[in-house]
Amino acid sequence: MSDTAPGRGAAQPSLLSKERTVAPPGFNRWLVPPAALAIHLCIGMAYGFSVFWLPLSKAIGIKEALKCGPEVGFFQQLFTTSCDWPIATLGWMYTLFFVFLGLSAAIWGGWLEHAGPRKAGVIAALCWGGGMLFSALGIQQHQFWMMVLGSGIIGGIGLGLGYISPVSTLIKWFPDRRGMATGMAIMGFGGGAMIGSPLAAELMKHFATPTSVGVWETFVVMGLLYLVAMLLGAFGYRVPAHGWKPEGWTPPAPQATQKAMITHGHVHVKKIWGIPQFWLVWMVLTMNVSAGIGVIGMASPMLQEVFGGSLIGVPAKFGELDKAQLTAIAGVAAGFAALLSLFNIAGRFFWASLSDALGRKLTYTVFFILGGLLYFSIPASAAAGNKLLFVGAFCIILSMYGGGFATVPAYLADLFGTQMVGAIHGRLLTAWATAGIIGPVVVNYMREYQLGLGLPRDQVYNQTMYILVGMLVVGLICNLLVRPVNPKYFMSDAELAQEKRLARERDQEESRHEQGTHTFHRSSTAVVVLAWLAVGLPLAWGVYRTFLSAAKFFH
C-alpha cells in the first residue's frame, strides 16, 4: 500500500507530519505570512545580539570590566570564571550565528522539503529558544563555552531551519506574487532586532542589581518568549493541497513566462551544484551581500570620521574633538544606524514586491547599476561635506541590501521550479556565509591599510568604496549571464511524481477524501486580522522605537 494513500485503519499521521498541515478547502492563504513572520521576527534578533556585548563584558566586574591577563587566551576564556569576556571574544558569537545558519540551511534544506515547514519550525523554535535558555545558564555560571554551544551552535542551527522553513510554502501559496510573499517573511528577519534590541535593553535595566548586569535573566525571558512565539508560528503553517491555485488566477502562458525567465520544470536539489545558473546566482548574492555587510559595519564610524564636529555644529575634525563632543556625535551616528535599519527592512518588502513586476533579473541589474553609482558618489559627497547626499546614498544602498535577500528565493523559483526551492535556497545561503567573511575583511583591512599610509581619517574610506563598486560590477556581469536553465537538468515526469510522493503531496480531492473534510470552511476574516495584529503590533513598536533613535540624526 502506498505511503501517500493510507487505507482505513492505517496509523494517523503525527501532529508534526506534513499530511497534518495540508490546508482544508476555504483556507485563507493570508494566514501563512503571519506564521512565517512570527518565526522570522524571533530569529532576526541574531542581528541585535550586540546589545548584550557591553553588559556581558562587565558580568563579573559589574561597574567596570575585570580584564583578563595576557596569559588568558581565547581557549581559556571559554572556561574562566575569574575575569570578564572581552567584547572581541563575544563578537565571535555573531560569526557563529551566520556560519551555522548557512551550514544548517544547506545540509537540512532537502529534509525540510520532505518533512514540511511545521516540523522544521518546531525544531527551529526548540533550537533558538532552547539555545537561549542554555546560554542563560552559561552566563549565570560564567561559562562562555555554554553560550557558544547554546546560542552560537544550537541557536545557529535554529536560525538556518527557521529562515528557510517558510520559503517553499509561501511561493506555492502565492504563485502570482512570489517576490512579495517571500519579501514579507524575510522582512521579519530584518525587523527582528528592531523589536528584540529595545526589549532586551528594557529587560536588562529591569533585572540589573548591584550583583548582576541582568543579562542571564533577560535571556530566560526572551528565550521563553521566542519559544512560544515560534511554536505558534510553526503550528500556523499550512501547505496548499497539490493542484491548488488562487481563486480567479490563471497561470501565464508559456510565452509570457519564457520572457520573464520563469520555468515550468523542476530541478532536484541533488543536481544543483552542477548547474551554471546556480553558481551565477550564488555570485550575484555574494557580491550584493559582501558590499552591503561591509557598509553596515562601517557606516556609523565612517559618518563620524568624515563629518566630525559638523554633525553637532562644531567646526572641527574628528581627531580634534573632546570626549563630550565625541559622545555627542556617537549619539547622532546611532540615529544614522537606526535610519539604515529602517531602510534595510523596508527594502526587503519594497524591492521583492517590485520584482514581481520588473522580473528578478532586471531587479538585480538595478541593484548593481544604481548601487555602483551610489558607492562611487560617496567619496565626492563626503569631500563636499554634503550630508544629505551621503546619508541618502547609504539609505538606498541598505534598502537594496535587504531587497537582495528577499528577492533571491523568487529568483530561484523562477529558474529552478518550485518543487525544491526551499532546499535550493538553503544551499544558496552558503553565499551569505561567504559574504559575511569577505565584506568585513575587505573593509576593515583597507581602512587599516589606508590609516597606515598616513591618510586623514575623513579620506580612508575612499578606496574601499571603489573596491565595493568593483564587487558590484562582478555581480552585474554574473547577473547578465543568467539564462534559462537547460531542460536536461529538470526532473522527468516519473522523477517528479516520486519526489511528490516523498514530499507527501496529494491532489486536493484525494486529500479531502482521506481527511473526511468534504465541508467547505472559509477562514474567518477576524482570525486573519488577529493573526496579522499578533505580528504587526510588535513590529510597529519596534519600528516606532527605531524612529525615535533615527530622529536623533535630524536634531
Side-chain angles (χ1 to χ4, degrees):
M1 188 177 289
S2 167
D3 63 347
T4 58
R8 192 173 297 173
Q12 182 75 3
S14 74
L15 191 61
L16 298 183
S17 71
K18 196 170 182 181
E19 291 93 333
R20 293 286 289 272
T21 63
V22 177
F27 178 82
N28 191 322
R29 62 177 176 165
W30 289 98
L31 282 167
V32 181
L37 271 167
I39 289 179
H40 271 237
L41 286 170
C42 293
I43 60 176
M45 180 52 189
Y47 272 136
F49 251 64
S50 56
V51 75
F52 298 120
W53 297 165
L54 190 59
L56 278 177
S57 71
K58 301 185 288 186
I60 295 177
I62 309 297
K63 289 192 179 299
E64 292 291 332
L66 190 62
K67 293 186 178 176
C68 298
E71 74 284 354
V72 181
F74 179 80
F75 185 75
Q76 288 82 5
Q77 288 169 17
L78 293 171
F79 304 98
T80 184
T81 56
S82 60
C83 60
D84 278 313
W85 305 314
I87 287 177
T89 298
L90 291 163
W92 277 100
M93 293 291 298
Y94 198 69
T95 304
L96 283 171
F97 280 149
F98 296 108
V99 167
F100 277 90
L101 183 155
L103 287 174
S104 59
I107 292 168
W108 289 298
W111 165 83
L112 186 154
E113 293 288 4
H114 296 160
R118 179 182 290 179
K119 188 176 286 186
V122 167
I123 293 173
L126 294 173
C127 288
W128 183 243
M132 283 194 77
L133 294 175
F134 187 72
S135 290
L137 180 61
I139 295 165
Q140 201 265 336
Q141 299 290 321
H142 202 73
Q143 290 290 301
F144 189 54
W145 71 267
M146 293 176 72
M147 193 174 170
V148 166
L149 176 62
S151 286
I153 297 173
I154 297 172
I157 291 169
L159 276 177
L161 288 175
Y163 190 87
I164 63 172
S165 65
V167 169
S168 180
T169 303
L170 282 168
I171 283 173
K172 287 170 184 171
W173 275 117
F174 291 88
D176 49 338
R177 306 181 200 178
R178 289 175 178 178
M180 183 207 70
T182 54
M184 278 189 288
I186 290 171
M187 175 182 75
F189 193 79
M194 285 189 183
I195 302 169
S197 294
L199 177 61
E202 295 292 337
L203 287 171
M204 287 188 291
K205 196 186 299 182
H206 173 75
F207 287 120
T209 66
T211 57
S212 170
V213 290
V215 177
W216 76 262
E217 301 93 334
T218 299
F219 264 58
V220 169
V221 172
M222 294 185 75
L224 290 172
L225 278 174
Y226 287 153
L227 184 63
V228 171
M230 290 176 73
L231 286 174
L232 288 172
F235 282 96
Y237 278 147
R238 293 289 184 276
V239 296
H242 180 55
W244 175 91
K245 63 180 182 179
E247 196 173 329
W249 178 70
T250 305
Q255 294 84 355
T257 54
Q258 281 171 6
K259 190 177 178 183
M261 214 160 55
I262 299 173
T263 183
H264 288 272
H266 301 274
V267 173
H268 197 288
V269 69
K270 68 186 179 186
K271 292 184 179 177
I272 205 69
W273 297 125
I275 301 177
Q277 285 85 343
F278 174 80
W279 291 108
L280 288 170
V281 177
W282 192 94
M283 281 298 294
V284 162
L285 188 65
T286 300
M287 292 299 104
N288 190 57
V289 174
S290 293
I293 283 181
V295 164
I296 287 172
M298 77 150 88
S300 174
M302 186 177 177
L303 181 82
Q304 296 175 66
E305 292 179 349
V306 167
F307 291 102
S310 68
L311 292 172
I312 51 171
V314 175
K317 292 192 173 184
F318 180 82
E320 301 164 357
L321 300 175
D322 61 31
K323 192 171 182 181
Q325 291 167 332
L326 287 171
T327 302
I329 69 165
V332 175
F336 177 50
L339 188 66
L340 293 182
S341 66
L342 287 172
F343 275 85
N344 180 4
I345 184 173
R348 290 168 187 250
F349 182 72
F350 172 78
W351 289 108
S353 299
L354 187 63
S355 78
D356 287 329
L358 295 183
R360 264 45 92 168
K361 186 174 180 177
L362 180 55
T363 302
Y364 272 98
T365 301
V366 171
F367 290 165
F368 291 126
I369 294 176
L370 179 57
L373 292 172
L374 290 170
Y375 280 115
F376 195 80
S377 75
I378 285 169
S381 58
N386 192 321
K387 287 194 285 268
L388 183 64
L389 286 179
F390 181 91
V391 171
F394 271 113
C395 287
I396 296 169
I397 285 167
L398 261 292
S399 80
M400 294 188 293
Y401 165 78
F405 277 120
T407 305
V408 84
Y411 204 171
L412 294 174
D414 291 353
L415 286 169
F416 305 112
T418 59
Q419 185 63 35
M420 301 202 77
V421 67
I424 295 168
H425 185 227
R427 299 278 173 94
L428 190 81
L429 290 182
T430 53
W432 188 357
T434 306
I437 298 167
I438 294 173
V441 165
V442 167
V443 167
N444 295 333
Y445 172 79
M446 279 304 299
R447 180 180 181 277
E448 293 304 315
Y449 177 71
Q450 298 287 323
L451 284 172
L453 291 178
L455 265 73
R457 282 182 177 268
D458 58 352
Q459 294 176 27
V460 296
Y461 298 99
N462 293 359
Q463 291 299 323
T464 306
M465 288 295 129
Y466 300 138
I467 290 172
L468 297 182
V469 171
M471 286 185 178
L472 294 186
V473 170
V474 172
L476 174 64
I477 292 167
C478 291
N479 186 54
L480 293 176
L481 290 173
V482 174
R483 296 287 183 272
V485 174
N486 191 316
K488 72 179 182 180
Y489 294 112
F490 295 143
M491 287 185 268
S492 66
D493 291 344
E495 288 172 325
L496 184 58
Q498 171 63 8
E499 182 52 43
K500 288 182 184 295
R501 278 195 291 274
L502 289 171
R504 300 194 283 282
E505 293 181 1
R506 297 167 296 173
D507 289 333
Q508 186 142 13
E509 287 303 316
E510 182 186 342
S511 172
R512 288 170 63 185
H513 175 71
E514 289 181 18
Q515 294 173 21
T517 53
H518 287 282
T519 54
F520 185 88
H521 178 70
R522 185 173 292 280
S523 302
S524 161
T525 304
V527 171
V528 177
V529 170
L530 285 172
W532 277 98
L533 284 174
V535 293
L537 289 176
L539 185 56
W541 178 77
V543 169
Y544 167 71
R545 290 292 298 255
T546 309
F547 262 121
L548 292 182
S549 297
K552 295 175 188 172
F553 180 74
F554 298 101
H555 283 169

